[in-house]
Amino acid sequence: MEKISPEELYSLYKDTLYKCQSKIFNYADDIIETMVFEDFVIGATSFLHDDSLNTLINNHLIDKKQYDLSRKIRALFFEIEDCGELTMDCLKGRSERWQHLVSLVDEAVAGVKNEAVLLDCELEYIHDRIEELSSVDLQEKMWLNRNNDTGRISSYAELMCSLYDDLNLELVLRKVMEKYGHSNNALNELYKLSTLLDNYEEPYTNGHIEDELIIKDSNWQVIVKQAQRVLANWNQIQPMLSQY
């Protein structure tokens, strides 16, 4: 396995936490299943491992409190697995162990959401996600796997989770707007995009989000056009985000 930098490890560590916070219960069941029983399972095994946590604390990316909290989360996760509670019924039923685990994760998420710096790799990831937002062609390739020559697979749900859970776009933008206000036209384009995404109502079929219907949705096309405006102004926006 290719060695990753401490900064990349920290990004994966945060992503793991975001996949099992209480906010996930706002999503449809299929999204919850992917986040918890695929993404969090992998992340808890690898990125909450003592070796990973030692790397993070030795590089001053987490403190002792976060280190201890992360070890508790991993231990409780394996206890849930050993007790046969690694099921959707137990998770949605909020068994005592799951309830405790989610509360610990929320506490850990609060610890990382107070940071004052965006990593360069996170800024690059935000750009990549906005680029995906701006292109119907990319969405058809990555969401619907039509003539996909990108080497990447995505979906509407993954895109939104990345922007708002993994990358904390809402929090970042709020902090930046507090500093610059609405006087900066380029930054306002990103603010408009975030507002459109917040207000977007996804088309569902039998309780599931349909990516193809989203791509064809006229309201989604407005978001695509706004994402294109953000990309056109990215060279002005990025320095402001990097100072957050």
Side-chain angles (χ1 to χ4, degrees), residues 87-128:
T87 67
M88 193 65 169
D89 287 342
C90 290
L91 173 63
K92 292 295 293 290
R94 310 285 183 99
S95 73
E96 184 176 344
R97 289 186 180 88
W98 272 114
Q99 191 171 358
H100 187 201
L101 178 64
V102 171
S103 69
L104 289 176
V105 172
D106 280 348
E107 185 179 348
V109 167
V112 299
K113 281 193 172 182
N114 289 328
E115 18 176 63
V117 176
L118 271 174
L119 302 174
D120 287 342
C121 61
E122 291 175 314
L123 284 168
E124 184 178 348
Y125 200 27
I126 289 175
H127 175 272
D128 289 348

Short mmCIF file of all heavy atoms in Angstrom, two decimals, residues 87-128:
data_model
loop_
_atom_site.label_atom_id
_atom_site.label_comp_id
_atom_site.label_asym_id
_atom_site.label_seq_id
_atom_site.Cartn_x
_atom_site.Cartn_y
_atom_site.Cartn_z
N THR A 87 -25.94 -4.11 12.33
CA THR A 87 -27.07 -4.24 11.43
C THR A 87 -27.83 -2.92 11.36
O THR A 87 -27.75 -2.09 12.26
CB THR A 87 -28.05 -5.33 11.90
OG1 THR A 87 -28.68 -4.90 13.13
CG2 THR A 87 -27.33 -6.66 12.13
N MET A 88 -28.59 -2.77 10.28
CA MET A 88 -29.38 -1.56 10.10
C MET A 88 -30.46 -1.46 11.18
O MET A 88 -30.76 -0.37 11.67
CB MET A 88 -30.01 -1.56 8.71
CG MET A 88 -30.61 -0.22 8.31
SD MET A 88 -29.34 1.05 8.14
CE MET A 88 -30.31 2.33 7.35
N ASP A 89 -31.06 -2.58 11.54
CA ASP A 89 -32.11 -2.57 12.56
C ASP A 89 -31.58 -2.05 13.89
O ASP A 89 -32.24 -1.25 14.56
CB ASP A 89 -32.70 -3.97 12.75
CG ASP A 89 -33.59 -4.39 11.58
OD1 ASP A 89 -34.02 -3.50 10.82
OD2 ASP A 89 -33.84 -5.60 11.44
N CYS A 90 -30.42 -2.51 14.28
CA CYS A 90 -29.84 -2.06 15.56
C CYS A 90 -29.43 -0.59 15.49
O CYS A 90 -29.61 0.16 16.46
CB CYS A 90 -28.63 -2.91 15.92
SG CYS A 90 -29.03 -4.62 16.37
N LEU A 91 -28.89 -0.19 14.34
CA LEU A 91 -28.49 1.20 14.18
C LEU A 91 -29.70 2.13 14.22
O LEU A 91 -29.73 3.10 14.98
CB LEU A 91 -27.74 1.38 12.86
CG LEU A 91 -27.39 2.82 12.46
CD1 LEU A 91 -26.45 3.46 13.47
CD2 LEU A 91 -26.77 2.85 11.06
N LYS A 92 -30.71 1.83 13.39
CA LYS A 92 -31.90 2.69 13.33
C LYS A 92 -32.71 2.61 14.62
O LYS A 92 -33.41 3.56 14.99
CB LYS A 92 -32.78 2.30 12.13
CG LYS A 92 -32.16 2.59 10.78
CD LYS A 92 -31.98 4.08 10.52
CE LYS A 92 -33.26 4.85 10.38
NZ LYS A 92 -34.01 4.54 9.16
N GLY A 93 -32.64 1.45 15.30
CA GLY A 93 -33.34 1.30 16.56
C GLY A 93 -32.62 1.96 17.72
O GLY A 93 -33.11 1.97 18.85
N ARG A 94 -31.43 2.50 17.42
CA ARG A 94 -30.62 3.18 18.42
C ARG A 94 -30.40 2.30 19.65
O ARG A 94 -30.78 2.66 20.78
CB ARG A 94 -31.26 4.51 18.85
CG ARG A 94 -31.69 5.42 17.71
CD ARG A 94 -30.53 6.11 17.04
NE ARG A 94 -31.00 7.04 16.01
CZ ARG A 94 -31.14 8.35 16.18
NH1 ARG A 94 -30.81 8.89 17.32
NH2 ARG A 94 -31.57 9.10 15.19
N SER A 95 -29.83 1.11 19.42
CA SER A 95 -29.49 0.27 20.56
C SER A 95 -28.55 1.05 21.49
O SER A 95 -27.95 2.05 21.10
CB SER A 95 -28.79 -1.02 20.10
OG SER A 95 -27.47 -0.75 19.66
N GLU A 96 -28.43 0.59 22.71
CA GLU A 96 -27.64 1.33 23.70
C GLU A 96 -26.20 1.53 23.21
O GLU A 96 -25.63 2.62 23.37
CB GLU A 96 -27.66 0.58 25.03
CG GLU A 96 -26.93 1.32 26.15
CD GLU A 96 -27.04 0.60 27.49
OE1 GLU A 96 -27.91 -0.29 27.62
OE2 GLU A 96 -26.25 0.93 28.40
N ARG A 97 -25.63 0.48 22.63
CA ARG A 97 -24.24 0.59 22.16
C ARG A 97 -24.14 1.57 20.99
O ARG A 97 -23.22 2.40 20.93
CB ARG A 97 -23.71 -0.78 21.75
CG ARG A 97 -23.47 -1.73 22.91
CD ARG A 97 -22.81 -3.01 22.43
NE ARG A 97 -22.58 -3.93 23.51
CZ ARG A 97 -23.46 -4.83 23.94
NH1 ARG A 97 -24.65 -4.91 23.36
NH2 ARG A 97 -23.18 -5.64 24.94
N TRP A 98 -25.08 1.49 20.04
CA TRP A 98 -25.05 2.40 18.90
C TRP A 98 -25.27 3.85 19.35
O TRP A 98 -24.63 4.77 18.86
CB TRP A 98 -26.11 2.02 17.86
CG TRP A 98 -25.64 1.02 16.84
CD1 TRP A 98 -26.07 -0.25 16.67
CD2 TRP A 98 -24.64 1.23 15.84
NE1 TRP A 98 -25.41 -0.87 15.64
CE2 TRP A 98 -24.53 0.02 15.10
CE3 TRP A 98 -23.83 2.31 15.48
CZ2 TRP A 98 -23.65 -0.12 14.03
CZ3 TRP A 98 -22.94 2.17 14.42
CH2 TRP A 98 -22.85 0.97 13.71
N GLN A 99 -26.19 4.03 20.28
CA GLN A 99 -26.46 5.37 20.79
C GLN A 99 -25.21 5.98 21.43
O GLN A 99 -24.89 7.15 21.21
CB GLN A 99 -27.61 5.32 21.80
CG GLN A 99 -28.14 6.69 22.19
CD GLN A 99 -29.41 6.59 23.02
OE1 GLN A 99 -29.90 5.49 23.29
NE2 GLN A 99 -29.94 7.71 23.44
N HIS A 100 -24.50 5.15 22.19
CA HIS A 100 -23.27 5.61 22.82
C HIS A 100 -22.20 5.92 21.77
O HIS A 100 -21.50 6.94 21.85
CB HIS A 100 -22.77 4.53 23.79
CG HIS A 100 -21.60 4.97 24.62
ND1 HIS A 100 -20.75 4.06 25.22
CD2 HIS A 100 -21.11 6.20 24.91
CE1 HIS A 100 -19.81 4.73 25.87
NE2 HIS A 100 -19.99 6.02 25.69
N LEU A 101 -22.08 5.05 20.77
CA LEU A 101 -21.07 5.24 19.72
C LEU A 101 -21.32 6.55 18.97
O LEU A 101 -20.39 7.35 18.77
CB LEU A 101 -21.09 4.07 18.74
CG LEU A 101 -20.11 4.19 17.57
CD1 LEU A 101 -18.67 4.20 18.06
CD2 LEU A 101 -20.31 3.07 16.56
N VAL A 102 -22.55 6.78 18.56
CA VAL A 102 -22.87 7.99 17.80
C VAL A 102 -22.61 9.24 18.64
O VAL A 102 -22.10 10.25 18.13
CB VAL A 102 -24.33 7.95 17.30
CG1 VAL A 102 -24.73 9.30 16.69
CG2 VAL A 102 -24.51 6.84 16.27
N SER A 103 -22.90 9.17 19.94
CA SER A 103 -22.65 10.33 20.80
C SER A 103 -21.14 10.60 20.91
O SER A 103 -20.71 11.77 20.93
CB SER A 103 -23.26 10.12 22.18
OG SER A 103 -22.58 9.12 22.91
N LEU A 104 -20.33 9.54 20.98
CA LEU A 104 -18.89 9.71 21.02
C LEU A 104 -18.37 10.30 19.70
O LEU A 104 -17.49 11.17 19.70
CB LEU A 104 -18.20 8.37 21.28
CG LEU A 104 -18.34 7.77 22.67
CD1 LEU A 104 -17.67 6.39 22.73
CD2 LEU A 104 -17.74 8.68 23.74
N VAL A 105 -18.93 9.83 18.60
CA VAL A 105 -18.52 10.36 17.30
C VAL A 105 -18.88 11.83 17.18
O VAL A 105 -18.09 12.65 16.69
CB VAL A 105 -19.16 9.54 16.15
CG1 VAL A 105 -18.89 10.22 14.81
CG2 VAL A 105 -18.61 8.12 16.14
N ASP A 106 -20.08 12.21 17.64
CA ASP A 106 -20.48 13.62 17.61
C ASP A 106 -19.48 14.48 18.40
O ASP A 106 -19.14 15.59 17.99
CB ASP A 106 -21.87 13.80 18.19
CG ASP A 106 -22.97 13.46 17.20
OD1 ASP A 106 -22.66 13.29 16.00
OD2 ASP A 106 -24.14 13.36 17.62
N GLU A 107 -19.04 13.95 19.52
CA GLU A 107 -18.07 14.68 20.33
C GLU A 107 -16.74 14.83 19.58
O GLU A 107 -16.10 15.90 19.61
CB GLU A 107 -17.83 13.95 21.65
CG GLU A 107 -16.92 14.69 22.62
CD GLU A 107 -16.74 13.95 23.94
OE1 GLU A 107 -17.48 12.98 24.20
OE2 GLU A 107 -15.83 14.35 24.71
N ALA A 108 -16.33 13.77 18.90
CA ALA A 108 -15.08 13.81 18.14
C ALA A 108 -15.20 14.75 16.94
O ALA A 108 -14.27 15.49 16.61
CB ALA A 108 -14.70 12.41 17.66
N VAL A 109 -16.36 14.75 16.28
CA VAL A 109 -16.60 15.65 15.16
C VAL A 109 -16.53 17.10 15.62
O VAL A 109 -15.95 17.96 14.94
CB VAL A 109 -17.97 15.37 14.50
CG1 VAL A 109 -18.36 16.49 13.55
CG2 VAL A 109 -17.92 14.04 13.73
N ALA A 110 -17.10 17.38 16.78
CA ALA A 110 -17.02 18.74 17.33
C ALA A 110 -15.58 19.15 17.54
O ALA A 110 -15.22 20.33 17.36
CB ALA A 110 -17.79 18.82 18.64
N GLY A 111 -14.72 18.20 17.87
CA GLY A 111 -13.31 18.49 18.08
C GLY A 111 -12.58 18.88 16.81
O GLY A 111 -11.69 19.72 16.82
N VAL A 112 -12.97 18.28 15.66
CA VAL A 112 -12.28 18.61 14.41
C VAL A 112 -12.94 19.77 13.68
O VAL A 112 -12.31 20.43 12.86
CB VAL A 112 -12.20 17.39 13.46
CG1 VAL A 112 -11.43 16.28 14.10
CG2 VAL A 112 -13.57 16.93 13.02
N LYS A 113 -14.20 20.08 13.99
CA LYS A 113 -14.88 21.16 13.29
C LYS A 113 -14.46 22.54 13.78
O LYS A 113 -14.81 23.56 13.19
CB LYS A 113 -16.39 21.01 13.41
CG LYS A 113 -16.97 19.97 12.47
CD LYS A 113 -18.47 20.06 12.38
CE LYS A 113 -19.00 19.14 11.28
NZ LYS A 113 -20.46 19.24 11.13
N ASN A 114 -13.71 22.59 14.87
CA ASN A 114 -13.27 23.87 15.40
C ASN A 114 -11.91 24.31 14.85
O ASN A 114 -11.35 25.29 15.31
CB ASN A 114 -13.18 23.81 16.93
CG ASN A 114 -14.54 23.74 17.56
OD1 ASN A 114 -15.49 24.28 17.03
ND2 ASN A 114 -14.65 23.06 18.68
N GLU A 115 -11.38 23.57 13.89
CA GLU A 115 -10.07 23.93 13.36
C GLU A 115 -10.15 25.22 12.55
O GLU A 115 -11.19 25.59 12.03
CB GLU A 115 -9.50 22.82 12.47
CG GLU A 115 -10.49 21.84 11.99
CD GLU A 115 -9.91 20.84 11.05
OE1 GLU A 115 -9.03 20.08 11.48
OE2 GLU A 115 -10.35 20.81 9.90
N ALA A 116 -9.01 25.91 12.47
CA ALA A 116 -8.99 27.21 11.81
C ALA A 116 -8.28 27.19 10.47
O ALA A 116 -8.04 28.22 9.88
CB ALA A 116 -8.30 28.23 12.72
N VAL A 117 -7.93 26.01 9.98
CA VAL A 117 -7.17 25.92 8.74
C VAL A 117 -7.75 24.84 7.84
O VAL A 117 -8.11 23.76 8.31
CB VAL A 117 -5.69 25.59 9.03
CG1 VAL A 117 -4.92 25.41 7.74
CG2 VAL A 117 -5.06 26.68 9.87
N LEU A 118 -7.88 25.16 6.56
CA LEU A 118 -8.21 24.15 5.58
C LEU A 118 -6.91 23.65 4.96
O LEU A 118 -6.06 24.45 4.57
CB LEU A 118 -9.08 24.75 4.47
CG LEU A 118 -10.59 24.72 4.66
CD1 LEU A 118 -11.26 25.48 3.53
CD2 LEU A 118 -11.12 23.31 4.72
N LEU A 119 -6.75 22.34 4.87
CA LEU A 119 -5.57 21.79 4.24
C LEU A 119 -5.62 22.01 2.73
O LEU A 119 -6.69 22.10 2.14
CB LEU A 119 -5.48 20.29 4.54
CG LEU A 119 -5.44 19.90 6.01
CD1 LEU A 119 -5.49 18.38 6.16
CD2 LEU A 119 -4.22 20.47 6.70
N ASP A 120 -4.43 22.10 2.12
CA ASP A 120 -4.37 22.31 0.67
C ASP A 120 -5.12 21.21 -0.08
O ASP A 120 -5.80 21.48 -1.08
CB ASP A 120 -2.91 22.34 0.20
CG ASP A 120 -2.20 23.62 0.62
OD1 ASP A 120 -2.91 24.60 0.94
OD2 ASP A 120 -0.96 23.64 0.62
N CYS A 121 -4.99 19.96 0.42
CA CYS A 121 -5.66 18.85 -0.26
C CYS A 121 -7.18 18.99 -0.17
O CYS A 121 -7.91 18.58 -1.07
CB CYS A 121 -5.20 17.51 0.31
SG CYS A 121 -5.55 17.26 2.07
N GLU A 122 -7.68 19.61 0.92
CA GLU A 122 -9.11 19.81 1.06
C GLU A 122 -9.62 20.91 0.12
O GLU A 122 -10.70 20.79 -0.46
CB GLU A 122 -9.45 20.16 2.51
CG GLU A 122 -9.24 19.01 3.47
CD GLU A 122 -9.45 19.38 4.92
OE1 GLU A 122 -8.95 20.44 5.34
OE2 GLU A 122 -10.13 18.62 5.62
N LEU A 123 -8.82 21.96 -0.05
CA LEU A 123 -9.17 23.00 -1.01
C LEU A 123 -9.23 22.43 -2.42
O LEU A 123 -10.12 22.76 -3.21
CB LEU A 123 -8.16 24.14 -0.95
CG LEU A 123 -8.28 25.08 0.25
CD1 LEU A 123 -7.06 25.98 0.34
CD2 LEU A 123 -9.54 25.92 0.15
N GLU A 124 -8.28 21.58 -2.73
CA GLU A 124 -8.28 20.93 -4.05
C GLU A 124 -9.50 20.04 -4.22
O GLU A 124 -10.10 19.98 -5.30
CB GLU A 124 -7.00 20.11 -4.21
CG GLU A 124 -6.84 19.46 -5.57
CD GLU A 124 -5.55 18.68 -5.72
OE1 GLU A 124 -4.67 18.83 -4.85
OE2 GLU A 124 -5.42 17.93 -6.70
N TYR A 125 -9.88 19.36 -3.14
CA TYR A 125 -11.04 18.47 -3.19
C TYR A 125 -12.33 19.27 -3.37
O TYR A 125 -13.23 18.86 -4.10
CB TYR A 125 -11.09 17.63 -1.91
CG TYR A 125 -11.90 16.37 -2.02
CD1 TYR A 125 -12.07 15.71 -3.23
CD2 TYR A 125 -12.49 15.81 -0.89
CE1 TYR A 125 -12.81 14.55 -3.32
CE2 TYR A 125 -13.24 14.64 -0.96
CZ TYR A 125 -13.39 14.01 -2.19
OH TYR A 125 -14.13 12.87 -2.27
N ILE A 126 -12.42 20.42 -2.69
CA ILE A 126 -13.59 21.29 -2.87
C ILE A 126 -13.70 21.72 -4.33
O ILE A 126 -14.77 21.69 -4.94
CB ILE A 126 -13.51 22.52 -1.96
CG1 ILE A 126 -13.72 22.12 -0.50
CG2 ILE A 126 -14.56 23.57 -2.36
CD1 ILE A 126 -13.54 23.26 0.49
N HIS A 127 -12.56 22.09 -4.92
CA HIS A 127 -12.55 22.48 -6.33
C HIS A 127 -13.03 21.33 -7.21
O HIS A 127 -13.85 21.53 -8.13
CB HIS A 127 -11.14 22.90 -6.74
CG HIS A 127 -11.00 23.19 -8.21
ND1 HIS A 127 -10.71 22.21 -9.13
CD2 HIS A 127 -11.14 24.35 -8.91
CE1 HIS A 127 -10.68 22.73 -10.33
NE2 HIS A 127 -10.92 24.03 -10.23
N ASP A 128 -12.53 20.12 -6.94
CA ASP A 128 -12.93 18.97 -7.75
C ASP A 128 -14.42 18.70 -7.65
O ASP A 128 -15.07 18.35 -8.65
CB ASP A 128 -12.15 17.73 -7.31
CG ASP A 128 -10.68 17.78 -7.70
OD1 ASP A 128 -10.31 18.65 -8.50
OD2 ASP A 128 -9.91 16.96 -7.17
#
